[in-house]
Amino acid sequence: MLLVLAAEHRAHLGCVPRAGGAGGAAGRGNRAEPGRGCSCVCSLSVLTAFGELGRLALEQLRRGAAPRACETAARKLNIDVDIIQHGVEGLVYLLTESSKLMASTPFHKEISEVDFQDSIHVLGFSDELKKSLLQLYLDNRKEIRSILGELTPRLPSYHSLEWRLDVQLASRSLRQQIKPAVTMKLYLNQNEDQTSQVLQTDPATLLHLIQQLEQALGEMRMNHCRRIVRNMK
Amino acid sequence: QRFRFCGDLDCPDWVLAEISTLAKISSVKLKLICAQVLRDLLGEAIEYDKILKLTSDAKLESGDVKATIAVLSFILSSAAKHNVDSESLSSELQQLGLPKAEHASGLCRSYEEKQSPLQDRLRACSLRLSQLGSVRWRVDYTLSSSELQEVNEPVVHLTFNVRDREQEKVTAVPVTLSANKFWVLLAGEVPGGVAAETSV
C-alpha cells in the first residue's frame, strides 16, 4: 500500500535536505572555493541534520511536542526554528502513517519496505537520505505501533468488586421477616479515574445474572467462535 | 482437592507454584517476612527493604520476592477470612508441599498470634456504604412568631454527621422537628396510639 503525501507534507519533508544544506554552508564558513568533497561534506551534514530531526520526531511521538528541544537543535545546526519544526512534523506524520498502514508479518516484510521506499521516492531525496529514512522507520516501527495502539478511546473497565450479604429481619412496617440481599460496590477504571457503582440485588436475581454471564462465556466454546478464533491466530 | 483456607475450593494454581519458592527461604527468615506481611495486612506500612535483605541469601529475583509477599498475603488473609484455626492451616499447607518441621509451623504460629486482630481489621474493611458518625442536638423554645403572637412550643434541632467511607468526608445533615414529630421519631408512632409489638 502506498502512502500518499499531500503537497504540504512534501514541502515539510523537503525542508530536511535544505536544513542539511544550509547547515553545511554555514559550517564551511567563508571559504569561497567549491571545496573538494564538498558533496560529501554536504551529505554528511544533511545526515547529521536528519539524525537530529529523526531523534526529535521520535521524542515528540513518545512525549509530545517539545518546542525548547527544537530551539536547541536549531541553534546547534544553525538553521531556522521553523524549518526544524516543519521537518520534525513532517517526519512524525510520515512515521505514524507508515507504521499505521504498513504492518509487517513474516510474509509481508519485503512488500512493506518496498512500499515505503516507493512512497518516499516522490520526495526526491538522495540515496543515503532515503536509506537512513528507511532505517529510522524500520527500527522504530514496533514502538510507534504500540504508542498508536494506546490512543484508542477506552470504555470503563473492571477494577474490583466488593460485596456484602445481609438479611433483613424486621422493619418499621413489618416485623419478623427474612429477606436476604446482596450489596455490591463495583469499582471501574476509566482513563486513570476510578468510579464506583453501588448495586443491590436479591440472591435469585444474582443467580440469574451469573447464569447469563456463564452462558456468554460458553458461547466462546461453540463451533462458530472456535472457527473465527482459529483463523485469527 | 478442596482446601478450607481457600473457602472449600481448589487452591489457585499460582499459590501452588509459589509454595516451592517459599520452601527455598529459610524458616527463620520466613517467619520474619510473615511478620512484615502481617503488618501490611493490619494496615501499617510494610518495610520492603527489610524483606529484600531477608530474601537476598535465597537469591530470589525481584519477581520472586513480590510473588512471595503475594502468596503469604493470600494465605494469611484467606485463612482469617474463612476462620481457619492454625492446626488445620498447618496440615493443609503441608499437603501443598510446604515442609512441616520449620516452615509450616512457623507460619502458622505467626498466624495464630495475629488471627484476631486480622479478623477485626477485615471486619472493619468490609463493604459499608455510609456510617453515622455522631448526633448533635439542641432544644429551643419558640416564644412567638410573625404568624402567631404566643407560640410557646419546643423545637428540636438535630445534626447527623454521616461519614462516607470512600472519600473520608463527613457530611452534616440538619433536621428540625416539632415536639410531636420528635416523639414519633423516638417511639415509632403517634403517642396515644397502639403500642408497637415488642416480640421478635
Side-chain angles (χ1 to χ4, degrees):
Chain A
M1 188 197 272
L2 275 185
L3 270 187
V4 178
L5 299 168
E8 191 187 36
H9 299 127
R10 263 181 276 158
H12 284 183
L13 286 169
C15 299
V16 175
R18 251 194 299 139
R28 268 180 311 175
N30 291 327
R31 272 184 284 142
E33 56 180 84
R36 298 146 291 175
C38 110
S39 57
C40 19
V41 171
C42 253
S43 57
L44 198 58
S45 61
V46 169
L47 283 179
T48 38
F50 175 74
E52 195 60 30
L53 288 179
R55 196 185 57 84
L56 284 172
L58 287 173
E59 274 310 302
Q60 184 160 333
L61 276 172
R62 285 185 201 126
R63 265 174 268 245
R68 268 214 300 252
C70 289
E71 282 171 22
T72 8
R75 253 178 293 134
K76 200 165 57 166
L77 296 168
N78 220 343
I79 319 162
D80 241 351
V81 182
D82 290 333
I83 301 187
I84 294 270
Q85 199 89 318
H86 286 179
V88 171
E89 283 169 16
L91 266 181
V92 164
Y93 178 76
L94 180 65
L95 289 171
T96 49
E97 285 297 300
S98 12
S99 305
K100 175 166 81 173
L101 299 169
M102 295 189 272
S104 82
T105 67
F107 308 108
H108 298 299
K109 190 160 64 149
E110 302 83 27
I111 300 183
S112 73
E113 277 184 30
V114 163
D115 277 344
F116 187 79
Q117 281 170 328
D118 289 339
S119 314
I120 60 176
H121 185 71
V122 71
L123 296 167
F125 286 172
S126 66
D127 278 337
E128 298 110 7
L129 202 53
K130 269 199 261 190
K131 229 188 297 179
S132 358
L133 195 53
L134 179 64
Q135 202 52 41
L136 184 68
Y137 164 62
L138 288 177
D139 288 338
N140 295 296
R141 173 169 49 187
K142 266 212 192 114
E143 190 184 349
I144 298 179
R145 275 184 76 84
S146 71
I147 295 177
L148 291 175
E150 285 172 26
L151 291 177
T152 54
R154 278 212 191 114
L155 290 172
S157 65
Y158 172 78
H159 180 256
S160 58
L161 178 75
E162 277 184 35
W163 59 267
R164 187 178 84 191
L165 174 64
D166 297 319
V167 176
Q168 182 175 309
L169 296 173
S171 74
R172 182 165 179 259
S173 347
L174 181 65
R175 310 298 153 89
Q176 296 179 332
Q177 305 171 14
I178 294 190
K179 208 159 94 169
V182 178
T183 312
M184 295 178 278
K185 197 157 181 184
L186 182 64
Y187 289 96
L188 301 168
N189 266 337
Q190 183 172 28
N191 302 333
E192 279 94 28
D193 283 332
Q194 204 175 64
T195 53
S196 63
Q197 252 327 0
V198 179
L199 307 159
Q200 195 177 54
T201 176
D202 57 288
T205 313
L206 187 62
L207 284 173
H208 178 73
L209 181 69
I210 295 175
Q211 194 188 40
Q212 293 296 314
L213 290 174
E214 285 184 345
Q215 272 182 10
L217 275 182
E219 194 59 36
M220 277 293 290
R221 287 183 234 125
M222 298 274 127
N223 281 328
H224 183 69
C225 277
R226 275 217 181 113
R227 248 181 283 142
I228 296 183
V229 168
R230 234 179 301 152
N231 287 329
M232 276 203 294
K233 285 220 186 111
Chain B
Q1 198 190 1
R2 309 201 167 243
F3 291 93
R4 266 187 64 197
F5 84 94
C6 296
D8 289 330
L9 296 171
D10 291 333
C11 182
D13 292 333
W14 65 275
V15 173
L16 277 172
E18 294 304 325
I19 293 274
S20 52
T21 320
L22 284 185
K24 271 193 240 165
I25 312 176
S26 79
S27 65
V28 172
K29 300 223 167 77
L30 189 65
K31 209 155 175 248
L32 292 169
I33 299 180
C34 265
Q36 286 292 326
V37 172
L38 280 166
R39 275 181 55 140
D40 177 49
L41 289 173
L42 288 169
E44 303 159 38
I46 191 174
E47 285 158 325
Y48 195 62
D49 312 319
K50 283 203 185 154
I51 299 187
L52 279 178
K53 235 186 300 174
L54 290 166
T55 53
S56 57
D57 322 347
K59 298 205 188 5
L60 295 178
E61 312 172 338
S62 76
D64 284 338
V65 175
K66 293 181 193 162
T68 308
I69 300 178
V71 76
L72 284 175
S73 267
F74 175 81
I75 293 176
L76 294 166
S77 62
S78 195
K81 180 174 11 177
H82 299 288
N83 206 17
V84 179
D85 60 291
S86 88
E87 270 119 43
S88 319
L89 182 64
S90 173
S91 73
E92 288 185 346
L93 288 177
Q94 284 169 54
Q95 282 178 44
L96 287 173
L98 197 62
K100 162 173 185 152
E102 311 115 4
H103 297 79
S105 48
L107 211 162
C108 295
R109 226 171 304 134
S110 311
Y111 167 67
E112 191 169 356
E113 286 167 25
K114 294 279 183 173
Q115 185 176 1
S116 304
L118 197 53
Q119 283 178 326
D120 288 338
R121 166 101 187 149
L122 291 174
R123 191 172 300 131
C125 285
S126 297
L127 176 60
R128 196 120 184 228
L129 296 174
S130 65
Q131 215 172 351
L132 183 60
S134 58
V135 182
R136 287 158 56 206
W137 61 266
R138 193 179 84 195
V139 178
D140 290 344
Y141 196 76
T142 312
L143 295 172
S144 88
S145 75
S146 55
E147 313 293 306
L148 183 62
Q149 191 179 20
E150 286 216 17
V151 178
N152 295 335
E153 285 276 319
V155 159
V156 181
H157 297 276
L158 293 172
T159 303
F160 296 101
N161 289 318
V162 179
R163 200 178 315 140
D164 182 351
R165 270 306 216 36
E166 297 308 301
Q167 286 125 322
E168 320 248 333
K169 228 180 3 164
V170 180
T171 334
V173 183
V175 182
T176 305
L177 305 152
S178 70
N180 275 338
K181 265 294 194 229
F182 186 64
W183 281 117
V184 171
L185 178 65
L186 273 190
E189 64 189 22
V190 180
V194 180
E197 284 175 38
T198 44
S199 65
V200 171

Coordinates of all heavy atoms in Angstrom, one line a residue, chain A residues 135-163:
Chain A
Q135 N 15.8 3.2 7.5 CA 16.3 2.6 8.7 C 15.6 3.1 9.9 O 15.2 2.4 10.8 CB 17.8 2.9 8.8 CG 18.5 1.9 9.7 CD 18.3 0.5 9.3 OE1 18.2 0.2 8.1 NE2 18.1 -0.4 10.2
L136 N 15.3 4.4 9.9 CA 14.6 5.0 11.0 C 13.2 4.4 11.2 O 12.8 4.1 12.3 CB 14.5 6.6 10.8 CG 13.9 7.4 11.9 CD1 14.8 7.4 13.1 CD2 13.6 8.8 11.4
Y137 N 12.6 4.2 10.0 CA 11.2 3.7 10.1 C 11.3 2.2 10.6 O 10.5 1.8 11.5 CB 10.6 3.7 8.7 CG 9.4 2.8 8.5 CD1 8.3 3.0 9.3 CD2 9.4 1.8 7.6 CE1 7.2 2.2 9.1 CE2 8.3 1.0 7.4 CZ 7.2 1.2 8.2 OH 6.1 0.4 8.0
L138 N 12.2 1.4 10.0 CA 12.2 0.0 10.4 C 12.6 -0.2 11.9 O 12.0 -1.0 12.6 CB 13.2 -0.8 9.5 CG 12.8 -1.0 8.1 CD1 13.9 -1.7 7.3 CD2 11.5 -1.8 8.0
D139 N 13.5 0.6 12.4 CA 14.0 0.5 13.7 C 12.8 0.7 14.7 O 12.7 0.1 15.7 CB 15.1 1.4 14.1 CG 16.4 0.9 13.4 OD1 16.5 -0.2 13.0 OD2 17.3 1.8 13.2
N140 N 12.0 1.8 14.4 CA 11.1 2.3 15.4 C 9.7 1.9 15.1 O 8.8 2.3 15.9 CB 11.2 3.8 15.5 CG 12.5 4.2 16.0 OD1 12.9 3.8 17.1 ND2 13.3 4.8 15.2
R141 N 9.5 1.0 14.1 CA 8.1 0.7 13.7 C 7.3 0.1 14.8 O 6.2 0.5 15.1 CB 8.1 -0.2 12.5 CG 6.8 -0.7 12.1 CD 6.9 -1.4 10.8 NE 8.0 -2.4 10.7 CZ 8.3 -3.0 9.6 NH1 7.7 -2.7 8.5 NH2 9.3 -3.9 9.6
K142 N 7.9 -0.9 15.6 CA 7.1 -1.6 16.6 C 6.7 -0.6 17.7 O 5.6 -0.6 18.2 CB 8.0 -2.7 17.2 CG 7.8 -4.0 16.5 CD 8.0 -5.1 17.5 CE 8.0 -6.4 16.7 NZ 9.3 -7.1 16.8
E143 N 7.7 0.2 18.1 CA 7.4 1.1 19.2 C 6.3 2.1 18.8 O 5.4 2.4 19.6 CB 8.7 1.9 19.6 CG 8.5 2.7 20.9 CD 9.7 3.5 21.2 OE1 10.8 3.3 20.5 OE2 9.6 4.4 22.0
I144 N 6.4 2.6 17.6 CA 5.3 3.6 17.2 C 4.0 2.9 17.1 O 3.0 3.5 17.5 CB 5.7 4.1 15.8 CG1 7.0 4.9 15.9 CG2 4.6 5.1 15.3 CD1 7.5 5.5 14.6
R145 N 4.0 1.6 16.7 CA 2.7 0.9 16.6 C 2.1 0.8 18.0 O 0.9 0.9 18.3 CB 2.8 -0.4 16.0 CG 2.7 -0.3 14.5 CD 2.8 -1.7 13.8 NE 1.5 -2.4 14.0 CZ 0.5 -2.3 13.2 NH1 0.5 -1.4 12.2 NH2 -0.6 -3.0 13.3
S146 N 3.0 0.5 19.0 CA 2.4 0.3 20.4 C 1.9 1.6 20.9 O 0.9 1.7 21.6 CB 3.5 -0.3 21.3 OG 4.5 0.6 21.6
I147 N 2.6 2.7 20.6 CA 2.1 4.1 21.1 C 0.8 4.4 20.4 O -0.1 4.8 21.1 CB 3.2 5.2 20.7 CG1 4.5 5.0 21.5 CG2 2.6 6.5 21.0 CD1 5.5 6.0 21.1
L148 N 0.7 4.1 19.1 CA -0.6 4.4 18.4 C -1.7 3.5 19.0 O -2.8 3.9 19.0 CB -0.4 4.1 16.9 CG 0.4 5.1 16.2 CD1 0.6 4.7 14.7 CD2 -0.2 6.5 16.3
G149 N -1.3 2.2 19.4 CA -2.4 1.3 19.9 C -3.0 1.8 21.2 O -4.1 1.5 21.5
E150 N -2.2 2.6 22.0 CA -2.7 3.1 23.2 C -3.6 4.3 23.1 O -4.2 4.8 24.0 CB -1.6 3.5 24.2 CG -0.9 2.3 24.8 CD 0.3 2.7 25.5 OE1 0.3 3.9 26.0 OE2 1.2 1.9 25.6
L151 N -3.8 4.9 21.8 CA -4.5 6.1 21.7 C -6.0 5.8 21.4 O -6.7 6.8 21.2 CB -4.0 6.9 20.5 CG -2.6 7.5 20.7 CD1 -2.1 8.2 19.4 CD2 -2.6 8.5 21.8
T152 N -6.4 4.6 21.4 CA -7.8 4.3 21.2 C -8.7 4.7 22.4 O -8.2 4.7 23.5 CB -8.1 2.8 20.9 OG1 -7.5 2.1 22.0 CG2 -7.4 2.3 19.7
P153 N -9.9 5.1 22.1 CA -10.8 5.5 23.2 C -11.2 4.3 24.0 O -11.3 3.2 23.5 CB -12.0 6.1 22.5 CG -12.0 5.5 21.2 CD -10.6 5.3 20.8
R154 N -11.3 4.5 25.3 CA -11.5 3.3 26.2 C -12.8 3.4 26.9 O -13.2 4.4 27.4 CB -10.4 3.2 27.2 CG -9.2 2.6 26.7 CD -8.4 1.9 27.8 NE -7.1 1.5 27.4 CZ -6.0 2.1 27.9 NH1 -6.1 2.9 28.9 NH2 -4.8 1.7 27.4
L155 N -13.5 2.2 27.0 CA -14.7 2.1 27.9 C -14.2 1.9 29.3 O -13.1 1.4 29.5 CB -15.5 1.0 27.4 CG -16.2 1.1 26.0 CD1 -16.8 -0.2 25.6 CD2 -17.2 2.2 26.1
P156 N -15.1 2.2 30.3 CA -14.7 1.9 31.6 C -14.4 0.4 31.8 O -15.2 -0.4 31.3 CB -15.9 2.3 32.5 CG -16.9 2.9 31.6 CD -16.4 2.8 30.2
S157 N -13.4 0.1 32.5 CA -13.0 -1.3 32.6 C -13.1 -1.7 34.1 O -13.0 -0.9 35.0 CB -11.7 -1.6 32.0 OG -10.7 -0.9 32.8
Y158 N -13.2 -3.0 34.3 CA -13.4 -3.5 35.7 C -12.1 -3.4 36.5 O -11.0 -3.6 36.0 CB -13.7 -5.0 35.5 CG -13.8 -5.8 36.8 CD1 -14.8 -5.7 37.7 CD2 -12.7 -6.6 37.2 CE1 -14.9 -6.4 38.9 CE2 -12.7 -7.3 38.4 CZ -13.8 -7.2 39.2 OH -13.9 -7.9 40.4
H159 N -12.3 -2.9 37.7 CA -11.2 -2.8 38.6 C -11.3 -3.8 39.8 O -10.5 -4.7 40.0 CB -11.0 -1.4 39.1 CG -9.9 -1.2 40.0 ND1 -10.0 -1.1 41.4 CD2 -8.5 -1.2 39.8 CE1 -8.8 -1.0 42.0 NE2 -7.9 -1.0 41.0
S160 N -12.4 -3.7 40.5 CA -12.6 -4.7 41.6 C -14.1 -4.6 42.0 O -14.8 -3.7 41.6 CB -11.7 -4.4 42.8 OG -12.0 -3.1 43.3
L161 N -14.5 -5.6 42.8 CA -15.9 -5.7 43.3 C -15.8 -6.0 44.7 O -15.2 -7.0 45.2 CB -16.6 -6.8 42.5 CG -18.0 -7.1 42.9 CD1 -18.9 -6.0 42.3 CD2 -18.5 -8.4 42.3
E162 N -16.5 -5.2 45.6 CA -16.7 -5.6 47.0 C -18.1 -6.0 47.2 O -19.0 -5.4 46.6 CB -16.4 -4.4 47.9 CG -14.9 -4.2 48.2 CD -14.8 -3.0 49.1 OE1 -15.6 -2.8 50.0 OE2 -13.8 -2.3 49.0
W163 N -18.4 -7.0 48.0 CA -19.8 -7.4 48.2 C -20.1 -7.7 49.6 O -19.2 -7.8 50.5 CB -20.1 -8.6 47.3 CG -19.2 -9.8 47.7 CD1 -18.0 -10.1 47.0 CD2 -19.4 -10.8 48.7 NE1 -17.5 -11.3 47.6 CE2 -18.3 -11.7 48.6 CE3 -20.4 -11.0 49.6 CZ2 -18.2 -12.8 49.4 CZ3 -20.3 -12.1 50.5 CH2 -19.2 -13.0 50.4

